[in-house]
């Protein structure tokens, strides 16, 4: 049996007397696009932050390639974040005084094996933006740069937390198309939180969270090609 790339064992997160995530078990395989559906407050972002080591669970374990992240030293956790995962958020968080190319290269600073910059920016359609600054870009362009910065280090897992939440429908669809292309090109596993069921229709697997619990975990047997999405608000 193939070892899971990422695994959560009975993880919970409690703030004061309220659980935002409860006894969650989850296995993520290699090269899998997983859509995590749920309304605001369902626990999506909390789960993503725990799986990516940005947040410690109140109880339970997270394992990456069989090793428990909570038992690693601070330097080992930092190495895991630098080399093995990429992060894309709703807000772009680009460095304003750096060019697009410089922002992207920040992501490869500590990479063991960086992706080819020319290939990556061509895949994302931003090759003509490299000398521009963030304030000169549209929202969709900025998010593409953020993705390039996260992917240039060729992470095993890309965590996307409402990565299309600030974009219009056309740019949102374009981003989903590009994420699927990244999965195919670099073999990246992608965890994508969203409230949008149309995005989930393109995923390999769909999780549904309600009140901090996974109430649905299905392989998507009727996958929709990302370029065929219609849009839901």
């Amino acid at each position: 049996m193939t070892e899971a790339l990422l695994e959560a064992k009975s993880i919970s997160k409690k703030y004061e007397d309220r659980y935002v995530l409860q006894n969650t078990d989850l296995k993520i395989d290699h090269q899998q696009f997983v859509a995590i559906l749920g309304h605001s407050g369902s626990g999506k972002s909390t789960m993503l932050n725990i799986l990516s080591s940005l947040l410690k669970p109140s109880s339970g374990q997270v394992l990456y390639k069989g090793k428990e992240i909570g038992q690693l030293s601070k330097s080992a956790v930092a190495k895991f974040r630098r080399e093995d995962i990429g992060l894309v958020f709703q807000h772009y968080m680009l460095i304003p005084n750096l060019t697009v190319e410089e922002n992207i290269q920040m992501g490869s600073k500590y990479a063991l094996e960086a992706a080819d910059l020319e290939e990556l920016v061509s895949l994302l359609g931003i090759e003509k933006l490299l000398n521009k600054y963030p304030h000169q870009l549209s929202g969709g362009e900025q998010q593409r740069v953020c993705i390039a910065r996260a992917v240039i280090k060729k992470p095993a897992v890309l965590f996307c937390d409402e990565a299309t939440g600030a974009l219009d429908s056309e740019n949102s669809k374009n981003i989903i198309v590009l994420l699927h292309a990244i999965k195919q090109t670099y073999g990246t596993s992608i965890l994508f939180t969203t409230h949008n069921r149309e995005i989930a229709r393109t995923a390999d697997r769909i999780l549904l969270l309600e009140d901090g619990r996974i109430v649905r975990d299905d392989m998507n047997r009727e996958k929709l090609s990302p370029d065929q999405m219609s849009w839901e608000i």
Side-chain angles (χ1 to χ4, degrees), residues 190-205:
I190 298 173
L191 275 69
F192 192 102
T193 67
T194 183
H195 65 276
N196 191 305
R197 293 180 180 273
E198 192 72 0
I199 291 173
R201 292 180 66 197
T202 74
D204 301 310
R205 181 177 171 193

Side-chain angles (χ1 to χ4, degrees), residues 120-132:
L120 179 60
V121 299
S122 177
L123 179 67
L124 291 169
I126 55 174
E127 59 267 46
K128 295 181 180 180
L129 306 178
L130 294 179
N131 293 320
K132 292 189 175 183

Side-chain angles (χ1 to χ4, degrees), residues 31-35 123-124 147 151 158 160 172-190 192 198-206 220 223-229:
Q31 300 183 37
Q32 190 175 65
F33 193 119
V34 182
L123 179 67
L124 291 169
I147 292 170
V151 171
L158 182 65
C160 300
S172 296
K173 286 188 279 188
N174 289 338
I175 291 298
I176 300 304
V177 170
L178 293 171
L179 288 174
H180 279 275
I182 285 166
K183 175 199 157 190
Q184 293 298 322
T185 302
Y186 300 108
T188 311
S189 290
I190 298 173
F192 192 102
E198 192 72 0
I199 291 173
R201 292 180 66 197
T202 74
D204 301 310
R205 181 177 171 193
I206 301 170
N220 187 6
K223 284 175 57 178
L224 183 71
S225 173
D227 58 2
Q228 294 178 325
M229 285 188 296

Side-chain angles (χ1 to χ4, degrees), residues 71-133:
Q71 296 299 315
L72 298 177
S73 65
K74 287 184 178 180
S75 60
V77 172
K79 183 175 184 291
F80 164 70
R81 292 173 182 167
R82 288 196 307 265
E83 297 176 2
D84 296 293
I85 67 170
L87 300 164
V88 180
F89 301 99
Q90 179 175 345
H91 303 292
Y92 314 124
M93 294 185 289
L94 296 172
I95 301 174
N97 61 334
L98 298 183
T99 65
V100 164
E101 181 173 358
E102 290 167 340
N103 266 282
I104 295 171
Q105 295 287 19
M106 288 291 291
S108 65
K109 190 174 182 180
Y110 300 103
L112 288 177
E113 180 189 359
D116 181 80
L117 177 65
E118 184 176 347
E119 177 188 50
L120 179 60
V121 299
S122 177
L123 179 67
L124 291 169
I126 55 174
E127 59 267 46
K128 295 181 180 180
L129 306 178
L130 294 179
N131 293 320
K132 292 189 175 183
Y133 289 88

